[in-house]
Amino acid sequence: MPQDHIKSIRPLIQANNLSYQFDNGETLFRDISCTLTHRRVGLVGRNGVGKSMLTSLLIKQELPATGNVLLNAKTASYSQLPSELLTGDITIAQFLKLDLIIRAIEHIEQGECDTELFSLVGDNWTAKQDLEQQLISLELPADVHFRCQLLSGGQLARLRLWQLFTSDADLLVLDEPSNHLDSEGKHWLLNQINQYKGHILLISHDRLLLRKMDRIWELSTLGLTQYGGNFDFYTQQKQQEFLAIERQANSVTKQQKRLEVEAQKNREKFEQRAAKGMKERAKGGTPKIVLNQHRSKATAKVSNRMKNENGRRELLQEKASSLQARQEQLKEQKMYLSESNQRSKGLVSIVNGRLPFGNQQSINIQINSSMKLHLQGGNGSGKSTLLKAMLGRVEPTVGEWNINTPMVYLDQHFGLLKDDLSLIESVCTLCQGMQQSDSRTLLAGIGFRRDDVHRLVSQLSGGEKMKLAMLLISHQPEQPLLLLDEPDNHLDLDSKRILATALKQYEGAFILVSHDEDFIQESGVNNTLSL
């Protein structure tokens, strides 16, 4: 067999029995085995289940507690924005490792003739010009010395992703690459994914991206399940799986009921026979040895039957427990947003408003208690600035701004939450008058049951924090106008559907910033303002 064909079918990743434990001994997942051969694989799963950690093990950035990984690829990875780019002074050229060449070109253009400068440049005389053109095509500042910390989240995401797509990596691991991208940015990302010739392992809750995958892997508390198609195929299979498990669970329940009815009838027969034997013994006439033999046979028969019944009972209970665990995994969570006490009135009125930076167009909008507004616009258009101006955190330059309602602002940083509080303490403390029993019911609705309510906020994943924050802001004594700045960014697929359904059923008003077209549509938005 030709060597190039052997290379083409060799798995890029082969993992066997991977387990991971935290320092406190808690197990995140165990016995995960997988083989990566397909070019486009999407990894999905609920928040906190360990998707990012699993990929870190697969590309050997972290070590497993048990198991091993065979990696046959040069990898590069994308994760959430790194702090060094947000807080340091690194420039675009430095980030792309072109700063030495570009500085050398600039020094030569200024008349310097040091041979070391020419050696640095080599044949790359158009490096600066090429990068400037590339930055323009990426809709970034054309200044190669522009500091990365001054870029918007979407701009920085494009820069980092472009660097990966132009690298020589065999496998790209992309962890939530679309989180900070607007609609145009997402379509740019889709185009990059389509053109990339290597393999991609994508962690995402973005259905637009997942529909472009060849395979979907789902990580859950029950392990890793692989589905042979894109996201739509995965959704169909999950629905069929749920219906099949429901049928199996109903069948097991019927078998358990039949077993108990049968066991009850057998007990009644035994009691009747025992009573008849006692009467015969009392009447006499039958030799005692014969009666004892009958009783021994009956007792042995009953003992065997009870062993058989107990064995069947245990087997059915094992099946029921297994099916219940699978049902729990597949069952949709629910989020209950409290009913609105707002009446049909004007909550916000902005006439000829103008923002101090970002968008310079005049803003005119009237928001009433039934409005569900989608605030749309590209990265840097002023969406977050408008929300902060409504809150009074940013001073608008001109216009008439009338705010007649309490408001709560929720962004990706979860400023409402306190890391040192537990979940149930958060609900009882931040929702005045909330009883512990009601708090437990609400928390169970978003997936926190039993002892989970005592977990600290600091231990939650991004998606779990968002669900808790949404619960808190929607159960305030005075129903606020919800200002939602990309609340879906960190949510898993199930949680996105839960939140969208809750927002659609919500009787109050909200302003939503989001770039997920499916989520926007499912949230029941009835008005749009474009910046």
Side-chain angles (χ1 to χ4, degrees):
M1 182 179 290
Q3 289 298 312
D4 57 340
H5 182 66
I6 294 174
K7 183 178 179 182
S8 67
I9 63 174
R10 185 175 63 175
L12 271 70
I13 296 176
Q14 197 158 2
N16 298 299
N17 301 319
L18 297 183
S19 300
Y20 186 82
Q21 279 187 331
F22 295 110
D23 292 338
N24 61 6
E26 181 184 350
T27 298
L28 181 60
F29 50 73
R30 57 166 54 91
D31 297 332
I32 301 294
S33 297
C34 59
T35 300
L36 193 149
T37 55
H38 291 89
R39 292 184 65 245
R40 302 288 184 265
V41 175
L43 177 60
V44 301
R46 291 182 177 176
N47 294 123
V49 77
K51 300 184 296 296
S52 297
M53 180 54 68
L54 175 60
T55 56
S56 294
L57 298 182
L58 293 179
I59 61 176
K60 297 194 170 185
Q61 289 182 345
E62 298 283 347
L63 294 175
T66 63
N68 60 81
V69 175
L70 182 62
L71 181 62
N72 299 312
K74 182 176 181 180
T75 65
S77 60
Y78 175 94
S79 59
Q80 295 305 308
L81 297 181
S83 58
E84 63 269 17
L85 292 183
L86 292 173
T87 59
D89 291 327
I90 187 171
T91 67
I92 292 176
Q94 288 173 328
F95 171 66
L96 297 174
K97 295 181 172 53
L98 294 172
D99 53 309
L100 295 179
I101 294 174
I102 289 174
R103 288 293 187 190
I105 292 172
E106 291 172 342
H107 283 297
I108 292 171
E109 288 174 345
Q110 292 169 6
E112 296 186 31
C113 299
D114 192 324
T115 55
E116 187 176 342
L117 295 176
F118 285 89
S119 176
L120 277 171
V121 174
D123 296 327
N124 300 309
W125 288 103
T126 62
K128 182 178 180 182
Q129 181 182 352
D130 292 344
L131 179 54
E132 288 172 342
Q133 290 300 316
Q134 184 60 52
L135 293 176
I136 292 172
S137 70
L138 292 171
E139 299 185 3
L140 302 180
D143 178 6
V144 298
H145 302 302
F146 194 86
R147 286 186 295 165
C148 291
Q149 65 165 308
L150 299 179
L151 295 172
S152 70
Q155 290 174 325
L156 190 51
R158 278 203 190 199
L159 178 65
R160 295 176 62 223
L161 287 165
W162 174 74
Q163 182 202 36
L164 292 179
F165 284 118
T166 55
S167 71
D168 61 350
D170 305 307
L171 169 66
L172 298 184
V173 177
L174 307 179
D175 193 348
E176 301 289 0
S178 64
N179 263 8
H180 297 275
L181 298 177
D182 55 23
S183 297
E184 185 182 341
K186 284 188 181 183
H187 286 94
W188 170 85
L189 175 57
L190 278 173
N191 188 47
Q192 295 297 310
I193 288 175
N194 289 335
Q195 293 180 1
Y196 184 65
K197 298 188 183 302
H199 289 64
I200 291 176
L201 176 56
L202 171 74
I203 305 173
S204 181
H205 306 304
D206 191 315
R207 286 162 279 192
L208 191 66
L209 301 184
L210 291 170
R211 289 187 179 109
K212 299 299 182 183
M213 298 295 106
D214 303 324
R215 293 290 187 275
I216 298 294
W217 292 359
E218 180 188 51
L219 182 62
S220 72
T221 54
L222 302 178
L224 186 70
T225 307
Q226 302 182 33
Y227 295 83
N230 70 359
F231 177 75
D232 291 329
F233 178 84
Y234 158 78
T235 303
Q236 293 170 2
Q237 292 295 306
K238 291 278 285 184
Q239 181 63 24
Q240 292 174 12
E241 185 180 355
F242 179 78
L243 294 174
I245 289 173
E246 195 171 42
R247 288 194 295 269
Q248 292 174 42
N250 290 336
S251 174
V252 169
T253 300
K254 288 178 182 177
Q255 291 178 57
Q256 287 176 316
K257 288 180 179 178
R258 283 200 298 268
L259 175 61
E260 295 309 320
V261 169
E262 182 182 326
Q264 179 62 30
K265 287 181 179 179
N266 287 332
R267 283 194 296 270
E268 290 174 357
K269 286 181 182 178
F270 173 74
E271 290 170 359
Q272 290 171 0
R273 288 172 182 166
K276 184 178 179 181
M278 292 293 289
K279 287 181 181 179
E280 290 181 359
R281 188 179 292 272
K283 284 194 306 183
T286 303
K288 190 173 182 180
I289 188 170
V290 174
L291 291 173
N292 288 341
Q293 286 175 345
H294 288 168
R295 185 168 63 182
S296 296
K297 288 180 180 179
T299 301
K301 187 175 180 180
V302 169
S303 177
N304 288 334
R305 188 178 66 243
M306 289 181 67
K307 285 180 181 178
N308 181 265
E309 287 173 355
N310 287 335
R312 290 167 60 195
R313 190 175 286 113
E314 289 176 4
L315 181 62
L316 287 172
Q317 185 55 48
E318 286 178 10
K319 287 183 178 179
S321 297
S322 175
L323 290 169
Q324 185 178 10
R326 193 66 188 138
Q327 277 184 312
E328 188 70 25
Q329 184 63 39
L330 294 170
K331 185 174 65 177
E332 284 194 357
Q333 303 168 13
K334 294 182 179 180
M335 180 180 289
Y336 300 96
L337 300 188
S338 59
E339 294 184 359
S340 171
N341 57 19
Q342 298 170 347
R343 296 296 176 259
S344 184
K345 64 177 184 177
L347 306 179
V348 174
S349 173
I350 302 174
V351 179
N352 294 324
R354 189 164 296 177
L355 302 175
F357 46 85
N359 197 301
Q360 293 303 304
Q361 73 184 70
S362 293
I363 298 170
N364 294 279
I365 188 169
Q366 308 291 322
I367 299 175
N368 59 39
S369 56
S370 62
M371 184 175 287
K372 298 180 178 182
L373 177 70
H374 174 219
L375 184 58
Q376 72 175 21
N379 292 128
S381 63
K383 301 182 298 296
S384 297
T385 305
L386 174 58
L387 297 184
K388 291 174 182 176
M390 291 173 60
L391 286 165
R393 298 179 186 176
V394 172
E395 189 69 29
T397 53
V398 295
E400 184 180 326
W401 298 65
N402 294 314
I403 310 295
N404 304 310
T405 179
M407 294 181 293
V408 174
Y409 176 70
L410 186 63
D411 65 2
Q412 301 168 40
H413 304 294
F414 324 113
L416 177 71
L417 304 180
K418 299 180 179 179
D419 285 348
D420 58 346
L421 293 181
S422 68
L423 276 72
I424 196 162
E425 287 173 339
S426 297
V427 178
C428 292
T429 302
L430 299 176
C431 299
Q432 295 180 14
M434 183 75 68
Q435 300 299 314
Q436 277 217 7
S437 57
D438 295 329
S439 299
R440 282 183 173 274
T441 300
L442 292 173
L443 288 169
I446 59 173
F448 300 109
R449 297 177 176 84
R450 297 180 286 277
D451 290 342
D452 280 348
V453 302
H454 299 299
R455 289 171 61 190
L456 293 178
V457 169
S458 60
Q459 298 173 329
L460 302 181
S461 68
E464 289 172 326
K465 286 182 179 180
M466 182 57 75
K467 287 194 288 185
L468 176 61
M470 281 298 304
L471 184 71
L472 295 174
I473 66 174
S474 66
H475 287 80
Q476 297 302 306
E478 292 187 31
Q479 188 71 50
L481 169 65
L482 306 184
L483 306 182
L484 309 173
D485 198 349
E486 301 194 56
D488 54 311
N489 251 6
H490 297 279
L491 296 183
D492 57 45
L493 291 165
D494 286 341
S495 300
K496 281 193 178 190
R497 283 191 286 264
I498 296 164
L499 178 56
T501 300
L503 289 175
K504 186 173 184 178
Q505 296 172 351
Y506 183 49
E507 295 182 5
F510 62 75
I511 301 177
L512 171 67
V513 177
S514 175
H515 301 300
D516 187 321
E517 295 170 11
D518 288 309
F519 177 76
I520 294 164
Q521 184 177 359
E522 293 168 0
S523 296
V525 165
N526 54 27
N527 279 274
T528 300
L529 174 63
S530 297
L531 296 183

